Amino acid sequence: MASGEGAIDPQAAASGAEADAEMETEEQEGPVMCLDLTSYQLHDLNEVEIPPTLEELDLTANRLSSVDPRIGRLTGLRKLSFRQNLLDDAAVAPLSSWETIAGLQELVLRDNKLTRIPDASIFKGLLVFDVSFNEISSLSGLSKVSSTLKELYVSKNEVGKMEELEHFHALEILELGSNRLRVMENLENLTNLQELWLGRNRIRTVNLCGLKLIKKLSLQSNRLTSMDGFQDCIALEELYLSHNGIQKMEGLSTLQNLRVLDVSSNKITAIENIESLTRLEDLWLNDNQIPSLDGIEAAVAGSRQNLTTIYLERNPCAKTPNYSATLKRMFPNLEQIDSDIIA
């Protein structure tokens, strides 16, 4: 229910959620229970019954400013979400001493009022940790987070340095977008990393610290002027580099698994260094300075049959007579040219 419609009756919320939990228990083998109280606009849980056998508790989009101590007695709790509430550092502090829930695997504190990384050292088997959309200025405290972690989200904060990441050998997803980062560093031990999201920072130079298993990489809206640094990331499937100051396409010829390449909104004048790529499906080149369609077919020759989407709008070449028809002739399996879906 939308907040403008008034807060829902907490007892009714608890009753409905408990029924959902019981239904899930009946449908599955074993006492798997999930209580979902998303968007009930609750200020506290005083009137909510919390079943002691819960394994998942979702409190997304409420008005909670404290953590109910009963949560600390849920021995089987594995997933806990406080996304989009009003929790500050003091409010989440009790979590670090509740040994009963030490088996927690997923902790979401996204979109609250945190100013530092909370102490999560008690959760020895933590797999997912999300503190995005807060006011955190430093990654100090991550060294206490379990090395079992597979997904770490710290986007939309005020972090200025990549640090205390060295022990995350199992990490697969790292999200640090929309911070104040200037340097890519301390990544060399993240040997299982598959997704790295660093968009909307202040990074000038690519440094992947020898990582070779990354499949998805975003450096959109940074301060890059060169594409040098991706050559060894041969597992890359998706590369997002829009809204930078890149003038030349380079360092791409070794990326034989690349399916999506976004270099829109840069200063590129020619399509090059991708002719040997054979798996490209999406190619975003809009808002650059490419003068003509001449040579484009040869430049993307390796992916001629696989290319399904191409964006070239707001380049001088997009004013070419019969622009769309020419592209369709070059790439017979195109399904989309700029924002136009091809019938």
Side-chain angles (χ1 to χ4, degrees):
M1 179 179 290
S3 58
E5 296 174 343
I8 196 165
D9 181 353
Q11 290 183 322
S15 176
E18 187 174 358
D20 290 342
E22 290 174 354
M23 184 179 298
E24 186 165 345
T25 303
E26 293 173 359
E27 293 174 352
Q28 302 186 32
E29 294 182 5
V32 178
M33 298 185 68
C34 173
L35 179 56
D36 188 347
L37 293 174
T38 298
S39 298
Y40 282 117
Q41 299 299 313
L42 299 170
H43 288 262
D44 57 56
L45 302 180
N46 293 343
E47 302 299 324
V48 177
E49 182 176 349
I50 300 179
T53 54
L54 279 184
E55 291 191 357
E56 301 181 20
L57 178 57
D58 192 342
L59 295 163
T60 297
N62 283 287
R63 306 289 295 172
L64 301 174
S65 57
S66 63
V67 178
D68 194 301
R70 290 176 295 166
I71 295 174
R73 298 194 287 270
L74 299 175
T75 56
L77 194 62
R78 294 295 177 264
K79 297 183 179 181
L80 176 61
S81 176
F82 284 104
R83 177 174 179 167
Q84 200 175 339
N85 277 279
L86 302 172
L87 300 176
D88 59 17
D89 299 322
V92 301
L95 290 172
S96 65
S97 62
W98 289 347
E99 294 187 4
T100 302
I101 61 170
L104 200 67
Q105 296 177 346
E106 182 173 318
L107 177 58
V108 178
L109 295 165
R110 182 186 183 97
D111 199 357
N112 278 278
K113 294 184 174 183
L114 304 180
T115 63
R116 59 178 180 268
I117 299 290
D119 184 353
S121 58
I122 197 170
F123 308 119
K124 303 301 184 183
L126 198 63
L127 300 176
V128 179
F129 190 36
D130 187 348
V131 290
S132 295
F133 287 81
N134 280 284
E135 301 169 13
I136 297 170
S137 59
S138 169
L139 295 183
S140 177
L142 280 183
S143 61
K144 297 180 180 180
V145 177
S146 174
S147 61
T148 58
L149 202 66
K150 289 189 174 183
E151 300 179 18
L152 174 60
Y153 304 92
V154 199
S155 64
K156 201 65 171 67
N157 279 285
E158 300 172 6
V159 176
K161 182 178 175 61
M162 298 175 71
E163 58 185 336
E164 299 196 17
L165 299 169
E166 294 85 351
H167 64 298
F168 291 131
H169 303 286
L171 200 66
E172 297 177 358
I173 299 176
L174 176 58
E175 163 67 276
L176 285 167
S178 298
N179 277 287
R180 298 179 178 179
L181 301 172
R182 295 180 181 274
V183 179
M184 296 175 66
E185 57 188 333
N186 299 317
L187 295 171
E188 41 277 301
N189 289 346
L190 310 186
T191 51
N192 285 299
L193 198 65
Q194 296 185 22
E195 298 184 21
L196 179 58
W197 303 90
L198 294 171
R200 295 186 179 276
N201 278 287
R202 304 171 184 180
I203 297 168
R204 294 181 180 276
T205 305
V206 177
N207 178 14
L208 289 167
C209 305
L211 299 184
K212 296 181 179 180
L213 294 183
I214 295 179
K215 294 182 179 180
K216 298 180 181 180
L217 175 59
S218 173
L219 280 161
Q220 300 179 84
S221 300
N222 275 279
R223 299 177 181 177
L224 300 178
T225 56
S226 169
M227 296 178 70
D228 186 49
F230 301 111
Q231 296 92 325
D232 294 331
C233 292
I234 56 176
L236 262 182
E237 297 178 3
E238 301 179 19
L239 179 57
Y240 303 96
L241 299 173
S242 66
H243 296 90
N244 279 285
I246 297 169
Q247 300 180 27
K248 182 180 177 63
M249 294 177 65
E250 57 187 338
L252 300 171
S253 60
T254 57
L255 309 183
Q256 293 297 317
N257 291 300
L258 203 62
R259 295 184 298 101
V260 179
L261 175 60
D262 182 358
V263 287
S264 58
S265 299
N266 279 284
K267 299 178 180 179
I268 294 169
T269 58
I271 303 174
E272 51 192 335
N273 208 231
I274 60 172
E275 61 273 6
S276 64
L277 304 187
T278 59
R279 299 184 180 182
L280 269 183
E281 298 172 6
D282 287 27
L283 180 57
W284 296 63
L285 290 156
N286 52 284
D287 297 278
N288 277 288
Q289 301 168 16
I290 300 168
S292 168
L293 293 182
D294 294 342
I296 288 183
E297 185 173 6
V300 196
S303 297
R304 183 174 183 269
Q305 297 297 328
N306 285 333
L307 199 67
T308 58
T309 300
I310 189 168
Y311 272 74
L312 283 164
E313 59 189 353
R314 292 182 293 280
N315 279 278
C317 66
K319 298 179 180 179
T320 303
N322 301 314
Y323 163 71
S324 294
T326 302
L327 287 174
K328 180 62 176 174
R329 176 184 57 77
M330 292 178 179
F331 309 108
N333 294 314
L334 278 180
E335 299 173 0
Q336 184 169 347
I337 297 175
D338 300 329
S339 57
D340 298 325
I341 305 297
I342 299 173

PDB file of all heavy atoms in Angstrom, residues 193-224:
ATOM      1  N   LEU A 193      36.208 -13.191  -9.197  1.00  0.00           N
ATOM      2  CA  LEU A 193      35.293 -12.107  -9.515  1.00  0.00           C
ATOM      3  C   LEU A 193      34.779 -12.224 -10.948  1.00  0.00           C
ATOM      4  O   LEU A 193      35.561 -12.348 -11.891  1.00  0.00           O
ATOM      5  CB  LEU A 193      35.991 -10.758  -9.319  1.00  0.00           C
ATOM      6  CG  LEU A 193      35.077  -9.541  -9.200  1.00  0.00           C
ATOM      7  CD1 LEU A 193      34.221  -9.632  -7.935  1.00  0.00           C
ATOM      8  CD2 LEU A 193      35.895  -8.253  -9.183  1.00  0.00           C
ATOM      9  N   GLN A 194      33.453 -12.162 -11.114  1.00  0.00           N
ATOM     10  CA  GLN A 194      32.838 -12.268 -12.432  1.00  0.00           C
ATOM     11  C   GLN A 194      32.135 -10.983 -12.861  1.00  0.00           C
ATOM     12  O   GLN A 194      31.957 -10.754 -14.059  1.00  0.00           O
ATOM     13  CB  GLN A 194      31.841 -13.433 -12.451  1.00  0.00           C
ATOM     14  CG  GLN A 194      32.494 -14.784 -12.240  1.00  0.00           C
ATOM     15  CD  GLN A 194      31.517 -15.925 -12.376  1.00  0.00           C
ATOM     16  OE1 GLN A 194      30.469 -15.809 -13.003  1.00  0.00           O
ATOM     17  NE2 GLN A 194      31.854 -17.067 -11.788  1.00  0.00           N
ATOM     18  N   GLU A 195      31.743 -10.159 -11.893  1.00  0.00           N
ATOM     19  CA  GLU A 195      31.075  -8.898 -12.226  1.00  0.00           C
ATOM     20  C   GLU A 195      31.677  -7.773 -11.393  1.00  0.00           C
ATOM     21  O   GLU A 195      31.765  -7.882 -10.168  1.00  0.00           O
ATOM     22  CB  GLU A 195      29.569  -8.984 -11.970  1.00  0.00           C
ATOM     23  CG  GLU A 195      28.860 -10.034 -12.811  1.00  0.00           C
ATOM     24  CD  GLU A 195      27.353 -10.014 -12.601  1.00  0.00           C
ATOM     25  OE1 GLU A 195      26.823  -8.965 -12.143  1.00  0.00           O
ATOM     26  OE2 GLU A 195      26.699 -11.037 -12.886  1.00  0.00           O
ATOM     27  N   LEU A 196      32.074  -6.674 -12.076  1.00  0.00           N
ATOM     28  CA  LEU A 196      32.658  -5.523 -11.410  1.00  0.00           C
ATOM     29  C   LEU A 196      31.965  -4.269 -11.923  1.00  0.00           C
ATOM     30  O   LEU A 196      32.043  -3.939 -13.102  1.00  0.00           O
ATOM     31  CB  LEU A 196      34.164  -5.453 -11.691  1.00  0.00           C
ATOM     32  CG  LEU A 196      34.934  -4.273 -11.081  1.00  0.00           C
ATOM     33  CD1 LEU A 196      34.789  -4.244  -9.567  1.00  0.00           C
ATOM     34  CD2 LEU A 196      36.409  -4.354 -11.475  1.00  0.00           C
ATOM     35  N   TRP A 197      31.277  -3.573 -11.020  1.00  0.00           N
ATOM     36  CA  TRP A 197      30.480  -2.410 -11.377  1.00  0.00           C
ATOM     37  C   TRP A 197      31.071  -1.173 -10.701  1.00  0.00           C
ATOM     38  O   TRP A 197      31.008  -1.021  -9.488  1.00  0.00           O
ATOM     39  CB  TRP A 197      29.022  -2.622 -10.952  1.00  0.00           C
ATOM     40  CG  TRP A 197      28.433  -3.866 -11.555  1.00  0.00           C
ATOM     41  CD1 TRP A 197      28.451  -5.128 -11.020  1.00  0.00           C
ATOM     42  CD2 TRP A 197      27.781  -3.991 -12.823  1.00  0.00           C
ATOM     43  NE1 TRP A 197      27.841  -6.020 -11.859  1.00  0.00           N
ATOM     44  CE2 TRP A 197      27.414  -5.356 -12.980  1.00  0.00           C
ATOM     45  CE3 TRP A 197      27.450  -3.075 -13.831  1.00  0.00           C
ATOM     46  CZ2 TRP A 197      26.749  -5.825 -14.112  1.00  0.00           C
ATOM     47  CZ3 TRP A 197      26.788  -3.542 -14.957  1.00  0.00           C
ATOM     48  CH2 TRP A 197      26.445  -4.896 -15.093  1.00  0.00           C
ATOM     49  N   LEU A 198      31.672  -0.292 -11.524  1.00  0.00           N
ATOM     50  CA  LEU A 198      32.366   0.890 -11.010  1.00  0.00           C
ATOM     51  C   LEU A 198      31.889   2.169 -11.694  1.00  0.00           C
ATOM     52  O   LEU A 198      32.607   3.168 -11.721  1.00  0.00           O
ATOM     53  CB  LEU A 198      33.884   0.730 -11.212  1.00  0.00           C
ATOM     54  CG  LEU A 198      34.562  -0.382 -10.410  1.00  0.00           C
ATOM     55  CD1 LEU A 198      35.996  -0.573 -10.880  1.00  0.00           C
ATOM     56  CD2 LEU A 198      34.525  -0.075  -8.917  1.00  0.00           C
ATOM     57  N   GLY A 199      30.697   2.155 -12.239  1.00  0.00           N
ATOM     58  CA  GLY A 199      30.177   3.329 -12.927  1.00  0.00           C
ATOM     59  C   GLY A 199      30.001   4.517 -11.989  1.00  0.00           C
ATOM     60  O   GLY A 199      29.880   4.372 -10.775  1.00  0.00           O
ATOM     61  N   ARG A 200      30.034   5.717 -12.563  1.00  0.00           N
ATOM     62  CA  ARG A 200      29.815   6.956 -11.816  1.00  0.00           C
ATOM     63  C   ARG A 200      30.817   7.150 -10.680  1.00  0.00           C
ATOM     64  O   ARG A 200      30.456   7.318  -9.524  1.00  0.00           O
ATOM     65  CB  ARG A 200      28.382   7.034 -11.301  1.00  0.00           C
ATOM     66  CG  ARG A 200      27.345   7.115 -12.403  1.00  0.00           C
ATOM     67  CD  ARG A 200      25.946   7.332 -11.860  1.00  0.00           C
ATOM     68  NE  ARG A 200      24.980   7.433 -12.941  1.00  0.00           N
ATOM     69  CZ  ARG A 200      24.708   8.558 -13.622  1.00  0.00           C
ATOM     70  NH1 ARG A 200      25.340   9.681 -13.301  1.00  0.00           N
ATOM     71  NH2 ARG A 200      23.813   8.573 -14.594  1.00  0.00           N
ATOM     72  N   ASN A 201      32.095   7.075 -11.046  1.00  0.00           N
ATOM     73  CA  ASN A 201      33.171   7.402 -10.119  1.00  0.00           C
ATOM     74  C   ASN A 201      34.083   8.435 -10.783  1.00  0.00           C
ATOM     75  O   ASN A 201      33.630   9.177 -11.658  1.00  0.00           O
ATOM     76  CB  ASN A 201      33.927   6.133  -9.712  1.00  0.00           C
ATOM     77  CG  ASN A 201      33.224   5.375  -8.593  1.00  0.00           C
ATOM     78  OD1 ASN A 201      33.236   5.805  -7.438  1.00  0.00           O
ATOM     79  ND2 ASN A 201      32.609   4.238  -8.920  1.00  0.00           N
ATOM     80  N   ARG A 202      35.347   8.476 -10.394  1.00  0.00           N
ATOM     81  CA  ARG A 202      36.269   9.471 -10.932  1.00  0.00           C
ATOM     82  C   ARG A 202      37.540   8.802 -11.449  1.00  0.00           C
ATOM     83  O   ARG A 202      38.633   9.362 -11.382  1.00  0.00           O
ATOM     84  CB  ARG A 202      36.602  10.502  -9.850  1.00  0.00           C
ATOM     85  CG  ARG A 202      35.352  11.172  -9.275  1.00  0.00           C
ATOM     86  CD  ARG A 202      35.667  12.031  -8.066  1.00  0.00           C
ATOM     87  NE  ARG A 202      34.437  12.584  -7.480  1.00  0.00           N
ATOM     88  CZ  ARG A 202      34.405  13.372  -6.415  1.00  0.00           C
ATOM     89  NH1 ARG A 202      35.526  13.699  -5.800  1.00  0.00           N
ATOM     90  NH2 ARG A 202      33.256  13.826  -5.941  1.00  0.00           N
ATOM     91  N   ILE A 203      37.388   7.596 -11.959  1.00  0.00           N
ATOM     92  CA  ILE A 203      38.522   6.761 -12.383  1.00  0.00           C
ATOM     93  C   ILE A 203      39.057   7.222 -13.741  1.00  0.00           C
ATOM     94  O   ILE A 203      38.290   7.419 -14.681  1.00  0.00           O
ATOM     95  CB  ILE A 203      38.090   5.286 -12.435  1.00  0.00           C
ATOM     96  CG1 ILE A 203      37.689   4.821 -11.025  1.00  0.00           C
ATOM     97  CG2 ILE A 203      39.198   4.411 -13.006  1.00  0.00           C
ATOM     98  CD1 ILE A 203      36.989   3.482 -10.989  1.00  0.00           C
ATOM     99  N   ARG A 204      40.378   7.367 -13.841  1.00  0.00           N
ATOM    100  CA  ARG A 204      41.014   7.842 -15.067  1.00  0.00           C
ATOM    101  C   ARG A 204      41.730   6.734 -15.845  1.00  0.00           C
ATOM    102  O   ARG A 204      41.915   6.846 -17.056  1.00  0.00           O
ATOM    103  CB  ARG A 204      42.036   8.942 -14.730  1.00  0.00           C
ATOM    104  CG  ARG A 204      41.407  10.214 -14.164  1.00  0.00           C
ATOM    105  CD  ARG A 204      42.465  11.266 -13.882  1.00  0.00           C
ATOM    106  NE  ARG A 204      41.886  12.485 -13.343  1.00  0.00           N
ATOM    107  CZ  ARG A 204      41.365  13.468 -14.082  1.00  0.00           C
ATOM    108  NH1 ARG A 204      41.378  13.371 -15.404  1.00  0.00           N
ATOM    109  NH2 ARG A 204      40.859  14.540 -13.508  1.00  0.00           N
ATOM    110  N   THR A 205      42.146   5.668 -15.144  1.00  0.00           N
ATOM    111  CA  THR A 205      42.945   4.621 -15.775  1.00  0.00           C
ATOM    112  C   THR A 205      42.419   3.245 -15.402  1.00  0.00           C
ATOM    113  O   THR A 205      42.061   3.006 -14.244  1.00  0.00           O
ATOM    114  CB  THR A 205      44.419   4.731 -15.324  1.00  0.00           C
ATOM    115  OG1 THR A 205      44.897   6.048 -15.600  1.00  0.00           O
ATOM    116  CG2 THR A 205      45.279   3.715 -16.061  1.00  0.00           C
ATOM    117  N   VAL A 206      42.377   2.344 -16.378  1.00  0.00           N
ATOM    118  CA  VAL A 206      41.931   0.975 -16.129  1.00  0.00           C
ATOM    119  C   VAL A 206      43.069   0.153 -15.539  1.00  0.00           C
ATOM    120  O   VAL A 206      44.165   0.096 -16.087  1.00  0.00           O
ATOM    121  CB  VAL A 206      41.456   0.312 -17.439  1.00  0.00           C
ATOM    122  CG1 VAL A 206      41.061  -1.143 -17.185  1.00  0.00           C
ATOM    123  CG2 VAL A 206      40.294   1.093 -18.034  1.00  0.00           C
ATOM    124  N   ASN A 207      42.790  -0.499 -14.397  1.00  0.00           N
ATOM    125  CA  ASN A 207      43.758  -1.399 -13.782  1.00  0.00           C
ATOM    126  C   ASN A 207      43.001  -2.561 -13.153  1.00  0.00           C
ATOM    127  O   ASN A 207      42.464  -2.440 -12.053  1.00  0.00           O
ATOM    128  CB  ASN A 207      44.596  -0.683 -12.715  1.00  0.00           C
ATOM    129  CG  ASN A 207      45.585  -1.627 -12.042  1.00  0.00           C
ATOM    130  OD1 ASN A 207      45.835  -2.731 -12.531  1.00  0.00           O
ATOM    131  ND2 ASN A 207      46.129  -1.215 -10.913  1.00  0.00           N
ATOM    132  N   LEU A 208      42.970  -3.674 -13.866  1.00  0.00           N
ATOM    133  CA  LEU A 208      42.220  -4.830 -13.384  1.00  0.00           C
ATOM    134  C   LEU A 208      43.080  -5.785 -12.575  1.00  0.00           C
ATOM    135  O   LEU A 208      42.649  -6.878 -12.222  1.00  0.00           O
ATOM    136  CB  LEU A 208      41.569  -5.545 -14.567  1.00  0.00           C
ATOM    137  CG  LEU A 208      40.410  -4.735 -15.161  1.00  0.00           C
ATOM    138  CD1 LEU A 208      39.992  -5.293 -16.505  1.00  0.00           C
ATOM    139  CD2 LEU A 208      39.233  -4.696 -14.205  1.00  0.00           C
ATOM    140  N   CYS A 209      44.287  -5.369 -12.268  1.00  0.00           N
ATOM    141  CA  CYS A 209      45.154  -6.087 -11.320  1.00  0.00           C
ATOM    142  C   CYS A 209      45.334  -7.557 -11.671  1.00  0.00           C
ATOM    143  O   CYS A 209      45.458  -8.412 -10.793  1.00  0.00           O
ATOM    144  CB  CYS A 209      44.594  -5.960  -9.896  1.00  0.00           C
ATOM    145  SG  CYS A 209      44.338  -4.262  -9.343  1.00  0.00           S
ATOM    146  N   GLY A 210      45.308  -7.875 -12.975  1.00  0.00           N
ATOM    147  CA  GLY A 210      45.550  -9.244 -13.418  1.00  0.00           C
ATOM    148  C   GLY A 210      44.340 -10.156 -13.405  1.00  0.00           C
ATOM    149  O   GLY A 210      44.460 -11.346 -13.703  1.00  0.00           O
ATOM    150  N   LEU A 211      43.151  -9.646 -13.062  1.00  0.00           N
ATOM    151  CA  LEU A 211      41.947 -10.482 -13.019  1.00  0.00           C
ATOM    152  C   LEU A 211      41.554 -10.912 -14.429  1.00  0.00           C
ATOM    153  O   LEU A 211      41.540 -10.102 -15.351  1.00  0.00           O
ATOM    154  CB  LEU A 211      40.804  -9.718 -12.358  1.00  0.00           C
ATOM    155  CG  LEU A 211      41.032  -9.275 -10.911  1.00  0.00           C
ATOM    156  CD1 LEU A 211      39.775  -8.619 -10.367  1.00  0.00           C
ATOM    157  CD2 LEU A 211      41.427 -10.460 -10.035  1.00  0.00           C
ATOM    158  N   LYS A 212      41.192 -12.190 -14.583  1.00  0.00           N
ATOM    159  CA  LYS A 212      40.918 -12.715 -15.916  1.00  0.00           C
ATOM    160  C   LYS A 212      39.570 -13.410 -16.065  1.00  0.00           C
ATOM    161  O   LYS A 212      39.216 -13.831 -17.154  1.00  0.00           O
ATOM    162  CB  LYS A 212      42.030 -13.686 -16.320  1.00  0.00           C
ATOM    163  CG  LYS A 212      43.398 -13.022 -16.444  1.00  0.00           C
ATOM    164  CD  LYS A 212      44.460 -14.005 -16.879  1.00  0.00           C
ATOM    165  CE  LYS A 212      45.819 -13.310 -17.014  1.00  0.00           C
ATOM    166  NZ  LYS A 212      46.876 -14.250 -17.446  1.00  0.00           N
ATOM    167  N   LEU A 213      38.809 -13.532 -14.973  1.00  0.00           N
ATOM    168  CA  LEU A 213      37.537 -14.261 -15.044  1.00  0.00           C
ATOM    169  C   LEU A 213      36.325 -13.334 -15.133  1.00  0.00           C
ATOM    170  O   LEU A 213      35.195 -13.800 -15.208  1.00  0.00           O
ATOM    171  CB  LEU A 213      37.381 -15.177 -13.825  1.00  0.00           C
ATOM    172  CG  LEU A 213      38.378 -16.345 -13.717  1.00  0.00           C
ATOM    173  CD1 LEU A 213      38.052 -17.194 -12.500  1.00  0.00           C
ATOM    174  CD2 LEU A 213      38.362 -17.198 -14.976  1.00  0.00           C
ATOM    175  N   ILE A 214      36.550 -12.035 -15.145  1.00  0.00           N
ATOM    176  CA  ILE A 214      35.434 -11.085 -15.159  1.00  0.00           C
ATOM    177  C   ILE A 214      34.623 -11.225 -16.446  1.00  0.00           C
ATOM    178  O   ILE A 214      35.175 -11.220 -17.549  1.00  0.00           O
ATOM    179  CB  ILE A 214      35.940  -9.640 -15.009  1.00  0.00           C
ATOM    180  CG1 ILE A 214      36.578  -9.451 -13.634  1.00  0.00           C
ATOM    181  CG2 ILE A 214      34.805  -8.638 -15.189  1.00  0.00           C
ATOM    182  CD1 ILE A 214      37.129  -8.060 -13.397  1.00  0.00           C
ATOM    183  N   LYS A 215      33.301 -11.329 -16.290  1.00  0.00           N
ATOM    184  CA  LYS A 215      32.398 -11.446 -17.436  1.00  0.00           C
ATOM    185  C   LYS A 215      31.640 -10.149 -17.708  1.00  0.00           C
ATOM    186  O   LYS A 215      31.288  -9.873 -18.854  1.00  0.00           O
ATOM    187  CB  LYS A 215      31.404 -12.596 -17.205  1.00  0.00           C
ATOM    188  CG  LYS A 215      32.053 -13.976 -17.160  1.00  0.00           C
ATOM    189  CD  LYS A 215      31.004 -15.064 -16.977  1.00  0.00           C
ATOM    190  CE  LYS A 215      31.664 -16.445 -16.969  1.00  0.00           C
ATOM    191  NZ  LYS A 215      30.647 -17.520 -16.800  1.00  0.00           N
ATOM    192  N   LYS A 216      31.368  -9.393 -16.638  1.00  0.00           N
ATOM    193  CA  LYS A 216      30.648  -8.132 -16.800  1.00  0.00           C
ATOM    194  C   LYS A 216      31.422  -7.020 -16.101  1.00  0.00           C
ATOM    195  O   LYS A 216      31.767  -7.151 -14.924  1.00  0.00           O
ATOM    196  CB  LYS A 216      29.231  -8.231 -16.214  1.00  0.00           C
ATOM    197  CG  LYS A 216      28.358  -9.269 -16.896  1.00  0.00           C
ATOM    198  CD  LYS A 216      26.968  -9.319 -16.269  1.00  0.00           C
ATOM    199  CE  LYS A 216      26.100 -10.383 -16.938  1.00  0.00           C
ATOM    200  NZ  LYS A 216      24.736 -10.429 -16.326  1.00  0.00           N
ATOM    201  N   LEU A 217      31.682  -5.932 -16.842  1.00  0.00           N
ATOM    202  CA  LEU A 217      32.469  -4.835 -16.299  1.00  0.00           C
ATOM    203  C   LEU A 217      31.871  -3.507 -16.720  1.00  0.00           C
ATOM    204  O   LEU A 217      31.614  -3.274 -17.905  1.00  0.00           O
ATOM    205  CB  LEU A 217      33.916  -4.936 -16.802  1.00  0.00           C
ATOM    206  CG  LEU A 217      34.869  -3.801 -16.443  1.00  0.00           C
ATOM    207  CD1 LEU A 217      34.983  -3.639 -14.936  1.00  0.00           C
ATOM    208  CD2 LEU A 217      36.245  -4.072 -17.045  1.00  0.00           C
ATOM    209  N   SER A 218      31.609  -2.646 -15.746  1.00  0.00           N
ATOM    210  CA  SER A 218      31.081  -1.317 -16.031  1.00  0.00           C
ATOM    211  C   SER A 218      31.992  -0.244 -15.467  1.00  0.00           C
ATOM    212  O   SER A 218      32.308  -0.248 -14.275  1.00  0.00           O
ATOM    213  CB  SER A 218      29.673  -1.150 -15.443  1.00  0.00           C
ATOM    214  OG  SER A 218      29.243   0.201 -15.595  1.00  0.00           O
ATOM    215  N   LEU A 219      32.393   0.671 -16.354  1.00  0.00           N
ATOM    216  CA  LEU A 219      33.133   1.868 -15.961  1.00  0.00           C
ATOM    217  C   LEU A 219      32.480   3.095 -16.595  1.00  0.00           C
ATOM    218  O   LEU A 219      33.147   4.055 -16.965  1.00  0.00           O
ATOM    219  CB  LEU A 219      34.599   1.745 -16.407  1.00  0.00           C
ATOM    220  CG  LEU A 219      35.488   0.893 -15.493  1.00  0.00           C
ATOM    221  CD1 LEU A 219      36.740   0.444 -16.233  1.00  0.00           C
ATOM    222  CD2 LEU A 219      35.850   1.651 -14.230  1.00  0.00           C
ATOM    223  N   GLN A 220      31.178   3.049 -16.701  1.00  0.00           N
ATOM    224  CA  GLN A 220      30.435   4.165 -17.268  1.00  0.00           C
ATOM    225  C   GLN A 220      30.594   5.421 -16.410  1.00  0.00           C
ATOM    226  O   GLN A 220      30.747   5.348 -15.195  1.00  0.00           O
ATOM    227  CB  GLN A 220      28.938   3.819 -17.352  1.00  0.00           C
ATOM    228  CG  GLN A 220      28.630   2.607 -18.218  1.00  0.00           C
ATOM    229  CD  GLN A 220      27.150   2.297 -18.260  1.00  0.00           C
ATOM    230  OE1 GLN A 220      26.415   2.882 -19.036  1.00  0.00           O
ATOM    231  NE2 GLN A 220      26.719   1.377 -17.416  1.00  0.00           N
ATOM    232  N   SER A 221      30.546   6.567 -17.066  1.00  0.00           N
ATOM    233  CA  SER A 221      30.548   7.851 -16.354  1.00  0.00           C
ATOM    234  C   SER A 221      31.725   7.985 -15.408  1.00  0.00           C
ATOM    235  O   SER A 221      31.573   8.269 -14.220  1.00  0.00           O
ATOM    236  CB  SER A 221      29.224   8.043 -15.590  1.00  0.00           C
ATOM    237  OG  SER A 221      28.129   8.035 -16.473  1.00  0.00           O
ATOM    238  N   ASN A 222      32.925   7.749 -15.953  1.00  0.00           N
ATOM    239  CA  ASN A 222      34.152   8.007 -15.225  1.00  0.00           C
ATOM    240  C   ASN A 222      34.962   9.055 -15.996  1.00  0.00           C
ATOM    241  O   ASN A 222      34.378   9.881 -16.697  1.00  0.00           O
ATOM    242  CB  ASN A 222      34.933   6.707 -15.011  1.00  0.00           C
ATOM    243  CG  ASN A 222      34.478   5.956 -13.776  1.00  0.00           C
ATOM    244  OD1 ASN A 222      34.864   6.268 -12.652  1.00  0.00           O
ATOM    245  ND2 ASN A 222      33.618   4.942 -13.960  1.00  0.00           N
ATOM    246  N   ARG A 223      36.278   9.003 -15.888  1.00  0.00           N
ATOM    247  CA  ARG A 223      37.114  10.000 -16.552  1.00  0.00           C
ATOM    248  C   ARG A 223      38.157   9.338 -17.439  1.00  0.00           C
ATOM    249  O   ARG A 223      39.271   9.833 -17.596  1.00  0.00           O
ATOM    250  CB  ARG A 223      37.778  10.899 -15.490  1.00  0.00           C
ATOM    251  CG  ARG A 223      36.739  11.658 -14.663  1.00  0.00           C
ATOM    252  CD  ARG A 223      37.361  12.490 -13.559  1.00  0.00           C
ATOM    253  NE  ARG A 223      36.330  13.179 -12.784  1.00  0.00           N
ATOM    254  CZ  ARG A 223      36.569  13.937 -11.716  1.00  0.00           C
ATOM    255  NH1 ARG A 223      37.824  14.113 -11.299  1.00  0.00           N
ATOM    256  NH2 ARG A 223      35.588  14.518 -11.065  1.00  0.00           N
ATOM    257  N   LEU A 224      37.789   8.208 -18.035  1.00  0.00           N
ATOM    258  CA  LEU A 224      38.700   7.470 -18.894  1.00  0.00           C
ATOM    259  C   LEU A 224      38.937   8.213 -20.206  1.00  0.00           C
ATOM    260  O   LEU A 224      38.003   8.746 -20.798  1.00  0.00           O
ATOM    261  CB  LEU A 224      38.145   6.083 -19.210  1.00  0.00           C
ATOM    262  CG  LEU A 224      37.865   5.132 -18.035  1.00  0.00           C
ATOM    263  CD1 LEU A 224      37.280   3.829 -18.560  1.00  0.00           C
ATOM    264  CD2 LEU A 224      39.127   4.870 -17.233  1.00  0.00           C
TER     265      LEU A 224
END
